[in-house]
Amino acid sequence: MLLKTTKTALLKGIDQVLSTYQVAALTKQDSRVLYNYVKTSHDIFWGCRPTVLPPKKFFFPPHETLLDYTADGQIIAKIESKPLVLFGIHPCDLRGIQILDEAFADLHGDPNYLERREKAIIIGLDCHQTCDQDSFCYKVGAHYAKTGYDIMLYPLKDDQYLVEVATDRGNVFAEQFLRAIKGEEKELEEYQQAKAKAFESLKPFKDLEKFPELFQENTHHPVWEHEGARCLSCGSCVMVCPTCYCFNVTDDWELNMRAGKRQRHWDACMLHDFTTVATGENFRPTATARLHHRINRKFNYLMKKHGQSVCVGCGRCVRACLADISPKTIAEAINGEDEKEWN
Amino acid sequence: MELALVQSNAKLYLPEPARIVKVRNFTEHEKFFQIELLRKGSLGHDPGQFVEVSILGIGEAPISIASPPDSGNRFDLCARAVGDVTKKLFTFKKNDLIYIRGPFGHGFDDKIFQRMRGKHLLFIAGGIGYFPLRSLINQVIPNAKNYKKISILYGCKTSQDRMFPDELKKIHHLSVGSNVELLETLDHPEADWTGNVGVITTLIPKIDFDPAETIAIIVGPPIMYKFVLTSLMDKHMPKENIYMSLERRMKCGVGKCGHCQMEGVYVCQKGPVFNYADVEHNEELF
């Protein structure tokens, strides 16, 4: 279903939503843009700017309690979840959410992630240009959102928006909170044509669909050592990645020793001891091997599984990396797009 | 896409209580624990699978199941005290409670049992690699008639490091006039040792086997695999006739946390029991 509305109507709608739901959206804090809970619709930042952390934190928080237990052996599986509206999610992050949805529902359904996800309504906001020089969403086709949203907004001129309602849930939500008129398919077509034109010169990776095979064949390409030698193994790239979901699990007693918690925390395959076992063996002891692993998760191992690039080209890891390592540089070396001599 | 999407599992991270019903010391660092779930049900595992053992306030650790599936409501765990959980576990006595999730992973399933039937089984165990292998060895020995022959090669550093010495003795006795044989070797033997001396691969030439009719099953320390595989390849053993159990760091046991992923393979899902032909090109596994 296609509708059309104005920014004023959207703002009003969000203020209404806030009486029943928590709303998280892009917000501006000093010079940075962050996903955060908003108190009123005026807290929302409407521009096209990359956030420091991706929205995965709302479904897969940096720290969470999995179990609460007492010393006498009462154990309760714990899930903290509240109805949430995620507003203004850009296409790269929608792709990231879709991949996490699949990862957490694959084989064994992760109860904590899936319950939070189930209670969320996602409202996307399309981008008609790249956000900065570090983003490369167009290289992996993630500047278009195909799925992963309940409602998608396409910005038109004069603060007007086309509203694509994609799910039943989105429909109920739009009926309840959004004042809108019928949208014309023709307007969406015109919007898409203008967007295609804006991205015309920005081409996808050469041979993107063959990346799993190309990366498999190029395990010993010199780019790995070249980039790996500079890697500081700080794990920042993992923390800011919308599709990294590794975690560690720890137990903590309260000081009175009568109760404790089992918690999970974001972990990073780029950290030195990620694969170290109790006997001291480390199965991925070098920064080069760890960089190879992480980038192969994006363009090979998990790409095979998800049927699309697991790197969404948001550029967050590029901005966070102190050594200027970029998946784009590596991919362009592997597919020969850069025509550079790496030896 | 290779995804198998499923509904949320509310009990995915919730362990169940179990009682330690027997404890036995092997060495200062290795112990045997017999476990019974409080619900008095069977664990329902395949040989080669593992459980996540929880100690509240300390954490979880993946530990191989050391007993065959048909051991009633009890199952055996053997551990070396090296990490936080195993060190704490070593202070536990009979009747103490631990918590269990699992069984997890891919073990010796019906498909592998079908393949093993009528074949010569060649077990190659190094050190405490005997623990996970025991779940299969103790399953096949009572049914030895189903197999052409069962050869067990077992290598340890010293005679103190031989696990289940009483069971080894029984297998030695059994081997007279049967199709079961046990060959042992020690790296650093004491003066009274009359058996073979040297690393595990020195036993392989002593076994008479037809590679096409033999299934080899290997478990040992990480360093051992490369050498054993080379010896078997020299004997022209088909790769698909080799199974091995490869353990890695595991936190969740259910293919999420990422710690055990070696190249594209989650060891806790596709393993710990692998067919060599499936993973021979996985450089991170070897």
Side-chain angles (χ1 to χ4, degrees):
Chain A
M1 188 172 57
L2 195 63
L3 303 169
K4 191 175 173 181
T5 190
T6 61
K7 187 170 176 181
T8 318
L10 282 167
L11 289 170
K12 214 168 171 184
I14 289 161
D15 283 325
Q16 266 187 305
V17 171
L18 276 162
S19 59
T20 4
Y21 287 87
Q22 280 192 306
V23 177
L26 273 76
T27 60
K28 201 152 185 271
Q29 278 180 22
D30 304 323
S31 61
R32 298 177 305 172
V33 178
L34 310 172
Y35 279 111
N36 214 340
Y37 294 106
V38 297
K39 287 199 184 73
T40 85
S41 62
H42 294 286
D43 295 342
I44 297 174
F45 176 78
W46 287 76
C48 188
R49 282 264 306 274
T51 58
V52 178
L53 290 182
K56 74 175 175 186
K57 63 182 181 181
F58 296 109
F59 307 128
F60 173 49
H63 307 279
E64 73 174 301
T65 301
L66 296 176
L67 304 175
D68 266 330
Y69 47 76
T70 59
D72 59 6
Q74 304 296 314
I75 311 178
I76 300 163
K78 195 173 169 185
I79 305 176
E80 278 176 13
S81 69
K82 275 184 189 160
L84 173 73
V85 174
L86 266 183
F87 180 83
I89 310 296
H90 293 300
C92 58
D93 283 340
L94 290 171
R95 176 81 64 96
I97 291 171
Q98 186 206 343
I99 284 163
L100 288 193
D101 287 354
E102 292 172 354
F104 280 105
D106 184 28
L107 291 169
H108 303 272
D110 185 282
N112 294 52
Y113 179 94
L114 294 176
E115 184 171 316
R116 285 192 203 98
R117 183 64 184 83
E118 185 57 36
K119 287 187 181 171
I121 288 178
I122 296 186
I123 302 177
L125 174 58
D126 202 41
C127 304
H128 47 83
Q129 61 189 34
T130 54
C131 48
D132 68 4
Q133 74 284 359
D134 290 326
S135 65
F136 52 96
C137 49
Y138 56 92
K139 293 293 255 182
V140 292
H143 54 317
Y144 285 100
K146 292 176 220 147
T147 173
Y149 52 84
D150 297 295
I151 294 172
M152 188 76 188
L153 304 174
Y154 300 93
L156 303 175
K157 275 181 207 152
D158 305 325
D159 278 344
Q160 299 211 79
Y161 290 84
L162 280 174
V163 183
E164 180 199 343
V165 180
T167 62
D168 292 344
R169 201 148 61 150
N171 196 20
V172 172
F173 186 82
E175 276 183 8
Q176 196 180 351
F177 296 109
L178 192 62
R179 279 177 64 106
I181 57 167
K182 196 175 171 299
E184 297 297 329
E185 286 294 338
K186 200 168 154 269
E187 282 180 291
L188 185 58
E189 276 167 34
E190 281 167 13
Y191 170 85
Q192 293 294 18
Q193 278 165 11
K195 175 169 173 175
K197 198 146 193 235
F199 280 93
E200 203 171 16
S201 62
L202 303 170
K203 301 284 182 223
F205 282 125
K206 183 174 92 136
D207 296 328
L208 176 61
E209 68 290 353
K210 290 188 208 141
F211 267 22
E213 298 83 49
L214 277 175
F215 274 77
Q216 196 63 45
E217 288 161 13
N218 282 289
T219 291
H220 300 289
H221 192 287
V223 72
W224 296 116
E225 192 55 51
H226 193 274
E227 299 300 281
R230 299 207 318 277
C231 174
L232 302 166
S233 299
C234 69
S236 299
C237 50
V238 176
M239 297 296 121
V240 300
C241 179
T243 64
C244 275
Y245 57 92
C246 290
F247 57 82
N248 194 12
V249 182
T250 62
D251 275 45
D252 295 296
W253 279 120
E254 283 177 18
L255 282 177
N256 62 19
M257 296 288 281
R258 284 190 210 117
K261 288 179 196 314
R262 177 160 297 163
Q263 291 183 296
R264 75 167 159 199
H265 316 270
W266 287 357
D267 203 349
C269 64
M270 299 296 286
L271 298 176
H272 181 269
D273 283 336
F274 187 76
T275 56
T276 305
V277 291
T279 47
E281 270 129 347
N282 186 345
F283 297 97
R284 221 175 279 128
T286 66
T288 299
R290 293 189 291 273
L291 178 66
H292 174 268
H293 178 72
R294 177 166 185 271
I295 303 296
N296 269 272
R297 266 174 72 96
K298 306 300 173 194
F299 292 131
N300 176 6
Y301 316 143
L302 297 188
M303 180 167 171
K304 256 188 260 175
K305 214 169 168 178
H306 294 266
Q308 62 183 346
S309 168
V310 170
C311 171
V312 300
C314 66
R316 287 189 178 92
C317 59
V318 185
R319 286 172 215 113
C321 184
L322 297 169
D324 287 331
I325 298 169
S326 164
K328 182 165 165 271
T329 313
I330 295 169
E332 288 176 343
I334 299 291
N335 72 358
E337 195 173 325
D338 61 2
E339 296 177 357
K340 197 171 156 184
E341 271 305 321
W342 283 93
N343 280 306
Chain B
M1 284 210 297
E2 299 167 9
L3 296 159
L5 302 185
V6 296
Q7 292 295 307
S8 158
N9 172 4
K11 291 187 172 171
L12 193 61
Y13 301 118
L14 185 68
E16 64 170 312
R19 192 175 302 286
I20 296 173
V21 289
K22 204 187 276 179
V23 182
R24 224 184 112 188
N25 291 352
F26 288 130
T27 72
E28 198 185 328
H29 303 290
E30 282 102 13
K31 272 190 190 185
F32 164 95
F33 300 89
Q34 195 162 69
I35 311 293
E36 188 174 67
L37 297 172
L38 287 201
R39 66 175 154 90
K40 306 268 186 200
S42 128
L43 186 65
H45 67 285
D46 284 336
Q49 283 193 297
F50 67 96
V51 288
E52 287 282 351
V53 174
S54 269
I55 297 178
L56 300 184
I58 305 292
E60 271 187 320
I63 297 181
S64 307
I65 303 156
S67 49
D70 54 5
S71 333
N73 286 348
R74 294 179 172 192
F75 59 95
D76 301 340
L77 298 176
C78 300
R80 173 175 282 174
V82 280
D84 297 338
V85 173
T86 44
K87 279 179 188 158
K88 185 72 185 175
L89 184 64
F90 269 48
T91 67
F92 279 28
K93 307 268 180 307
K94 188 181 167 180
N95 287 329
D96 282 346
L97 282 188
I98 59 169
Y99 296 83
I100 299 285
R101 282 192 304 131
F104 291 131
H106 168 244
F108 293 92
D109 58 15
D110 289 345
K111 210 177 125 207
I112 301 177
F113 269 95
Q114 294 264 328
R115 285 206 63 203
M116 293 194 304
R117 222 183 151 84
K119 294 282 195 311
H120 179 180
L121 304 186
L122 175 58
F123 290 93
I124 303 174
I128 58 169
Y130 193 81
F131 293 158
L133 266 189
R134 180 176 175 265
S135 66
L136 185 60
I137 290 174
N138 287 4
Q139 167 102 335
V140 295
I141 284 185
N143 307 299
K145 61 179 186 330
N146 293 340
Y147 306 95
K148 195 172 151 194
K149 196 174 171 185
I150 298 173
S151 305
I152 302 165
L153 313 187
Y154 186 28
C156 296
K157 280 184 185 150
T158 72
S159 60
Q160 305 305 312
D161 300 311
R162 297 167 69 241
M163 298 296 128
F164 293 98
D166 51 339
E167 291 188 15
L168 295 175
K169 200 169 166 187
K170 268 190 204 159
I171 300 174
H172 275 302
H173 283 308
L174 184 78
S175 63
V176 183
S178 82
N179 64 342
V180 179
E181 61 179 343
L182 168 63
L183 280 80
E184 293 191 71
T185 187
L186 296 179
D187 294 350
H188 309 290
E190 289 78 1
D192 60 347
W193 177 253
T194 55
N196 190 73
V197 177
V199 293
I200 185 91
T201 45
T202 60
L203 291 177
I204 295 174
K206 296 179 193 293
I207 299 286
D208 180 24
F209 66 96
D210 169 4
E213 286 298 302
T214 303
I215 301 278
I217 302 137
I218 314 168
V219 192
I223 185 79
M224 192 187 93
Y225 292 88
K226 216 182 290 176
F227 296 105
V228 170
L229 288 169
T230 308
S231 301
L232 294 178
M233 291 298 104
D234 289 347
K235 291 265 185 186
H236 308 289
M237 182 83 146
K239 286 168 183 162
E240 57 274 13
N241 284 12
I242 302 174
Y243 289 91
M244 58 192 105
S245 178
L246 299 169
E247 271 104 47
R248 290 296 182 268
R249 186 172 177 210
M250 293 170 193
K251 277 286 175 178
C252 71
V254 291
K256 305 283 182 220
C257 79
H259 287 269
C260 71
Q261 195 190 18
M262 295 286 121
E263 294 196 2
V265 173
Y266 281 89
V267 176
C268 72
Q269 300 294 296
K270 290 268 160 83
V273 173
F274 290 100
N275 183 293
Y276 184 39
D278 292 339
V279 292
E280 60 170 317
H281 300 299
N282 190 320
E283 291 181 27
E284 287 186 343
L285 274 176
F286 299 104

